[in-house]
Amino acid sequence: HGYTELFFLDEATGLAAGHRPCFECRRADARLFQLAMHRAMKGNHRWNVPPKAHQMDTVLHAARIQAVRNMHRMEDLPVGTFFYRDGDVAAVTPTGTRLWSFDGYGPVVSVDPSALVQLITPAPVFHVLLAGYEPSWHSSALVDP
């Protein structure tokens, strides 16, 4: 098996694009992601043990191709979730909700907690975030509001 080198602004952006941490270059994070995915998919009868990389890749690839954009209430989004906000891309970061761009994260913006927003983050990754996985962030996402 081979792999394609992909580079994103940060891990959170890569997750929103439907990718996972690399077992070769980020083994510890990949293992944490694997365990969170196992917790998230525990009810799936195929995954009585933590999924192998190729199993996770199959699930993530299917989600990327389907590109289903689920709607969720803002207050239910875990840190790491990307969504559309008035035509822009925004993310729930450790320091608040921020607009996202290829250059980094903007200032904190307000979003009504009860608002329904359209997710960019694929469903499997959303569930991994809900299961407790914490992505790494570009420094612009961590600036105090």
Side-chain angles (χ1 to χ4, degrees), residues 103-122:
D103 296 322
Y105 297 87
V108 171
V109 294
S110 65
V111 180
D112 178 350
S114 64
L116 279 178
V117 295
Q118 186 178 29
L119 299 191
I120 295 170
T121 300

Side-chain angles (χ1 to χ4, degrees), residues 3-83:
Y3 63 90
T4 303
E5 292 183 29
L6 298 171
F7 299 95
F8 295 98
L9 174 68
D10 56 14
E11 180 183 22
T13 304
L15 293 177
H19 297 277
R20 62 168 176 77
C22 174
F23 273 97
E24 186 174 320
C25 58
R26 297 189 53 230
R27 191 169 221 24
D29 291 327
R31 180 73 174 138
L32 291 172
F33 185 90
Q34 177 187 43
L35 295 173
M37 188 171 236
H38 183 236
R39 286 191 302 277
M41 305 291 277
K42 197 83 167 174
N44 185 326
H45 66 278
R46 296 177 304 154
W47 289 9
N48 294 325
V49 297
K52 304 251 185 241
H54 75 277
Q55 292 172 307
M56 291 187 290
D57 292 343
T58 298
V59 169
L60 294 172
H61 182 69
R64 285 192 306 270
I65 289 175
Q66 291 171 357
V68 173
R69 302 295 180 219
N70 295 318
M71 302 292 287
H72 283 276
R73 281 192 350 216
M74 187 64 203
E75 64 192 355
D76 297 332
L77 303 185
V79 170
T81 304
F82 282 62
F83 62 95

Side-chain angles (χ1 to χ4, degrees), residues 89-137:
V89 173
V92 180
T93 75
T95 57
T97 299
R98 295 175 179 268
L99 295 181
W100 177 92
S101 76
F102 288 104
D103 296 322
Y105 297 87
V108 171
V109 294
S110 65
V111 180
D112 178 350
S114 64
L116 279 178
V117 295
Q118 186 178 29
L119 299 191
I120 295 170
T121 300
V125 174
F126 178 77
H127 292 290
V128 167
L129 295 170
L130 283 173
Y133 185 75
E134 298 177 17
S136 61
W137 294 88

